[in-house]
Amino acid sequence: MRLMQFPQALEAVLLTLERMREESAHRPCASRSALDALKRTAPVRSSENFRETKIDIEVAKDPKKADKLAAVQTRVSVCTKCPNLASTRTQTVFGVGNPDADIMFIGEAPGADEDAQGEPFVGRAGQLLTKIIKAMGFAREDVYIANILKCRPDVPAGSFGNRAPTPREMQTCRPYLMEQIDIIKPKVIVALGAVAVEGLLGTRAPMRELRGRWDSFNGTPLMITYHPAYLLRNQAPSEKRKVWEDMMLVLERLDKPISEKQRNYFL
Ligand code: SF4
């Protein structure tokens, strides 16, 4: 049955959604297909002199994906497969973002800030990643961010800084990331840095040879670019521009329009 054949019912639905939007702290949600159907029907309403109602509805996240991710997160939170990491971590760092994300950014492992806060990419490198995401036209909440490893690699007592995960640690934790990717099903994966590439593809090579080209991860297009921490260490505009050019390739792959301002952007 076509929705537009029942204009009064449609009007009632839209008025209810509008009331929810105005009176509730949360905006109403609808599935993408329902939203498309309402938008297609909107011109019919105005032509039949119905009261104009602005359709402003957030596209709902798929609750099944969120539930599935939560189930994996629960298992990760008590994982002790790497005893040395399980005994030294403050908490596991699962991942954050939209379970329906088109883009999934994957880094290497939590650092001290992430271990303390339980969220990936929250330190200085994370702030730069957020800046990159915003320059691409997204909010951090629109994408999904995770790491190869869910626990901070342990460092000797009293020492500062972070260490890279070992191949064994990456191999041990990899199944959790596979589950995340399988649930989210992003249209594009962005591997941030050489460790992420090694964890995903098992490939070791200098980043200058890896970045800026499309690879594939189980059929999902994979863009390799520098880790934001590298850009903090190497402030050369040319290196920042390379990352931005990689991100423009991602936008093109997603059929997102790129403005002139974005084309000329330097991080
Ligand atoms: S790094 Fe991964 S596999 Fe190892 S203990 Fe943490 S959650 Fe488990």
Side-chain angles (χ1 to χ4, degrees):
M1 270 187 286
R2 291 174 66 81
L3 194 57
M4 63 179 68
Q5 288 174 334
F6 300 92
Q8 286 163 331
L10 174 64
E11 178 72 0
V13 169
L14 289 171
L15 285 174
T16 303
L17 289 170
E18 187 181 37
R19 199 175 313 123
M20 286 169 65
R21 191 187 66 216
E22 287 171 355
E23 296 174 3
S24 165
H26 302 287
R27 296 163 80 196
C29 288
S31 70
R32 198 178 293 277
S33 59
L35 184 58
D36 288 344
L38 285 171
K39 281 180 174 170
R40 276 200 305 276
T41 312
V44 175
R45 295 175 63 246
S46 57
S47 68
E48 294 181 8
N49 294 323
F50 285 109
R51 188 168 68 83
E52 277 301 320
T53 305
K54 182 170 167 253
I55 300 174
D56 182 14
I57 307 165
E58 284 183 354
V59 174
K61 293 173 182 172
D62 182 345
K64 287 191 191 128
K65 285 189 178 185
D67 289 348
K68 287 178 189 169
L69 283 172
V72 183
Q73 184 169 10
T74 300
R75 280 188 276 123
V76 166
S77 68
V78 293
C79 178
T80 56
K81 285 196 265 180
C82 313
N84 53 321
L85 306 195
S87 63
T88 54
R89 72 189 179 209
T90 304
Q91 57 196 315
T92 55
V93 180
F94 182 66
V96 70
N98 182 355
D100 277 324
D102 286 343
I103 311 177
M104 193 165 171
F105 290 91
I106 299 177
E108 55 184 65
D113 292 324
E114 289 75 20
D115 175 70
Q117 296 186 41
E119 184 172 327
F121 283 94
V122 291
R124 283 181 65 226
Q127 287 162 17
L128 181 52
L129 177 62
T130 303
K131 187 178 169 189
I132 293 168
I133 291 167
K134 283 184 179 166
M136 294 172 76
F138 298 101
R140 193 173 152 102
E141 299 74 30
D142 294 331
V143 304
Y144 197 89
I145 306 170
N147 281 312
I148 300 284
L149 229 63
K150 310 304 183 202
C151 297
R152 184 186 183 207
D154 54 340
V155 290
S159 65
F160 295 98
N162 302 310
R163 75 161 168 83
T166 65
R168 187 191 178 105
E169 287 165 346
M170 287 195 280
Q171 201 58 34
T172 307
C173 203
R174 197 172 186 273
Y176 295 131
L177 180 64
M178 297 304 97
E179 287 191 75
Q180 287 175 296
I181 295 171
D182 204 41
I183 293 167
I184 295 166
K185 295 189 175 29
K187 291 180 183 166
V188 170
I189 295 172
V190 178
L192 299 166
V195 174
V197 175
E198 187 181 347
L200 285 165
L201 302 178
T203 307
R204 271 194 200 203
M207 277 300 290
R208 65 178 178 280
E209 294 172 16
L210 292 171
R211 66 144 285 274
R213 62 176 173 80
W214 287 106
D215 219 303
S216 173
F217 180 77
N218 291 346
T220 303
L222 173 78
M223 172 55 64
I224 300 169
T225 197
Y226 289 120
H227 193 287
Y230 167 78
L231 297 182
L232 293 175
R233 292 192 302 272
N234 186 340
Q235 298 273 342
S238 59
E239 298 305 280
K240 294 181 176 182
R241 177 67 192 179
K242 284 175 190 166
V243 170
W244 183 240
E245 284 174 358
D246 298 343
M247 294 306 99
M248 283 198 285
L249 291 174
V250 170
L251 290 174
E252 281 172 3
R253 189 81 183 211
L254 292 171
D255 288 328
K256 299 281 182 198
I258 302 175
S259 67
E260 203 51 36
K261 188 178 170 193
Q262 282 176 309
R263 288 204 183 279
N264 298 325
Y265 186 69
F266 277 79
L267 292 171

